[in-house]
Amino acid sequence: MAGNSFGQLFRITTFGESHGEAIGVIIDGCPAQLEVDLDYIQGELDKRKPGQSKITTQRKESDTVKILSGVFEGKTTGTPIAMIIPNEDQRSKDYNHNTNVFRPSHADYTYQTKYGIRDHRGGGRSSARETAARVAAGALAKLLLKTQGIEIVAHVSSVGKIDAPNVFINDANEFIAEREKNIVRCADPATAEEMIEFIDGVRKNGDTVGGKVSCYIKNCPVGLGEPVFDKLHAELGKAMLSINAVHGFEFGSGFSGSEMLGSEHNDIFVKNHLGDISTLTNFSGGIQGGISNGMPIEFRVAFKPVATIMHNQQTVDSDGNAAEISGKGRHDPCVVPRAVPIVEAMAALVLADHWLRDRNSRLPV
């Protein structure tokens, strides 16, 4: 199976299955002498782990991370960093009824056809459990970016048809603190309560619902991104679309920008009070010509409803015969609350990789 690695200079490779012994990640290219805050990395994993609240899957995993290599006396050594996260709550028997049938909107049929074999226990490699490894690696990338003053924050901006108003981010830590006050991770308290009530009703009906995560990158310098095939927004798009259940990505004005006139949409350059060049508006989402322009980078990620529902559904078996799959076991009524740290992690991996590339793009002066 190819396609398990991401990034060029800051490169990660994830491994493991949903119901295997463990999942993990190898990080290659992290600069030496970065101080590693293990508590911070674990804290990011705690935001993604299952069983957090009534509106998430009730699988119980501590997601305790262990660093096996690449760190000495609390600092990176410049060598490959290996992290491992044991699987603790493996209820493989919950998936025995899936052995020979294809679950609607899952990867069962495509994996079976492509490889001739599949792990029916929670989807194996196709399970969203793999994203825990990304969060661990992304937390390290965020620590690297923090040394440059770059901050990445996200929150749940919609669930179903419930949309939160636009939020203003003055301080990243204050924004995160406000977001973490509610279990849906929406930075607007009133909208959060409405979202929670709606998700809980969906859960009680054995169904699922999708939503959107909005992400903001502050203090990004001018010049990150490559201008042709590795445009910064293209890399961010690939990163986000690689996350399980993601069905859409837009940055800046996004799809609504197609409804505007150029005279409305153009971001006018000005010199700000600090003497730096900025723009009056930010329809470009902080990226122009595939390269960061110094304005905040803004994008949104759309997640479909989780495919596992607690209803019986019609399907076919591996021979194409009509079959019925029963709705039982554990399910996540809405993935977006736990997706917030995943979106942040993938954004951090893209930014860390491009920051390292940018350091090599000019001769020293």
Side-chain angles (χ1 to χ4, degrees), residues 78-99:
T79 58
I81 299 166
M83 298 184 185
I84 193 167
I85 303 166
N87 289 327
E88 299 166 344
D89 189 11
Q90 304 172 47
R91 285 199 220 162
S92 300
K93 66 179 185 302
D94 285 353
Y95 299 93
N96 287 343
H97 63 298
N98 295 341
T99 303

Side-chain angles (χ1 to χ4, degrees), residues 65-131:
V65 64
K66 183 177 182 180
I67 299 178
L68 304 180
S69 65
V71 177
F72 179 67
E73 294 183 344
K75 293 184 178 181
T76 57
T77 62
T79 58
I81 299 166
M83 298 184 185
I84 193 167
I85 303 166
N87 289 327
E88 299 166 344
D89 189 11
Q90 304 172 47
R91 285 199 220 162
S92 300
K93 66 179 185 302
D94 285 353
Y95 299 93
N96 287 343
H97 63 298
N98 295 341
T99 303
N100 196 42
V101 295
F102 299 136
R103 295 171 296 168
S105 287
H106 284 76
D108 298 347
Y109 171 69
T110 52
Y111 267 56
Q112 183 68 45
T113 302
K114 181 175 178 65
Y115 300 108
I117 187 173
R118 67 181 174 93
D119 186 344
H120 69 274
R121 304 167 304 168
R125 186 72 177 146
S126 70
S127 169
R129 177 131 187 82
E130 179 270 341
T131 60

Side-chain angles (χ1 to χ4, degrees), residues 19-330:
H19 287 255
E21 289 295 318
I23 54 175
V25 60
I26 296 172
I27 306 162
D28 200 7
C30 183
Q33 300 192 52
L34 173 67
E35 291 191 10
V36 178
D37 185 341
L38 189 57
D39 289 337
Y40 176 78
I41 295 173
Q42 187 61 58
E44 293 299 287
L45 282 164
D46 289 346
K47 295 170 187 172
R48 195 225 68 98
K49 71 180 181 182
Q52 295 179 40
S53 70
K54 64 182 180 180
I55 61 171
T56 65
T57 176
Q58 294 308 297
R59 179 171 177 169
K60 298 297 183 182
E61 296 283 354
S62 68
D63 279 357
T64 303
V65 64
K66 183 177 182 180
I67 299 178
L68 304 180
S69 65
V71 177
F72 179 67
E73 294 183 344
K75 293 184 178 181
T76 57
T77 62
T79 58
I81 299 166
M83 298 184 185
I84 193 167
I85 303 166
N87 289 327
E88 299 166 344
D89 189 11
Q90 304 172 47
R91 285 199 220 162
S92 300
K93 66 179 185 302
D94 285 353
Y95 299 93
N96 287 343
H97 63 298
N98 295 341
T99 303
N100 196 42
V101 295
F102 299 136
R103 295 171 296 168
S105 287
H106 284 76
D108 298 347
Y109 171 69
T110 52
Y111 267 56
Q112 183 68 45
T113 302
K114 181 175 178 65
Y115 300 108
I117 187 173
R118 67 181 174 93
D119 186 344
H120 69 274
R121 304 167 304 168
R125 186 72 177 146
S126 70
S127 169
R129 177 131 187 82
E130 179 270 341
T131 60
R134 306 183 191 203
V135 172
L140 191 70
K142 288 171 78 173
L143 289 173
L144 175 62
L145 295 172
K146 284 176 183 290
T147 67
Q148 306 303 307
I150 302 172
E151 298 279 0
I152 301 174
V153 295
H155 84 125
V156 173
S157 54
S158 78
V159 169
K161 296 181 180 180
I162 303 171
D163 295 319
N166 291 331
V167 294
F168 176 75
I169 303 171
N170 184 37
D171 180 88
N173 290 329
E174 291 178 1
F175 179 84
I176 293 172
E178 184 65 32
R179 177 196 76 191
E180 291 298 314
K181 288 180 181 178
N182 60 78
I183 58 177
V184 78
R185 292 201 168 88
C186 175
D188 183 71
T191 310
E193 289 304 313
E194 187 179 357
M195 289 175 173
I196 292 167
E197 183 178 356
F198 179 63
I199 295 171
D200 197 36
V202 169
R203 178 188 65 83
K204 290 175 180 176
N205 288 329
D207 218 329
T208 62
V209 65
K212 299 184 186 75
V213 173
S214 292
C215 188
Y216 311 88
I217 303 173
K218 294 175 62 67
N219 307 319
C220 182
V222 180
L224 300 193
E226 306 300 328
V228 185
F229 295 114
D230 292 345
K231 290 180 171 68
L232 187 57
H233 57 280
E235 298 273 276
L236 286 168
K238 178 181 179 180
M240 299 307 145
L241 290 166
S242 75
I243 300 171
N244 304 60
V246 169
H247 269 214
F249 169 81
E250 61 178 0
F251 72 101
S253 61
F255 289 105
S256 65
S258 66
E259 302 171 0
M260 300 171 67
L261 298 174
S263 55
E264 299 172 302
H265 193 271
N266 285 349
D267 293 319
I268 304 302
F269 288 107
V270 295
K271 183 176 284 188
N272 61 28
H273 66 285
L274 297 175
D276 299 323
I277 293 176
S278 62
T279 59
L280 289 176
T281 53
N282 193 25
F283 294 120
S284 299
I287 304 170
Q288 293 172 327
I291 300 172
S292 61
N293 67 2
M295 293 292 286
I297 295 173
E298 302 177 358
F299 62 85
R300 292 158 298 284
V301 187
F303 289 79
K304 72 178 180 70
V306 176
T308 299
I309 61 176
M310 295 297 101
H311 296 173
N312 289 357
Q313 299 177 85
Q314 297 303 308
T315 185
V316 298
D317 60 23
S318 57
D319 294 320
N321 299 313
E324 182 178 80
I325 187 165
S326 60
K328 62 180 181 179
R330 301 171 292 198

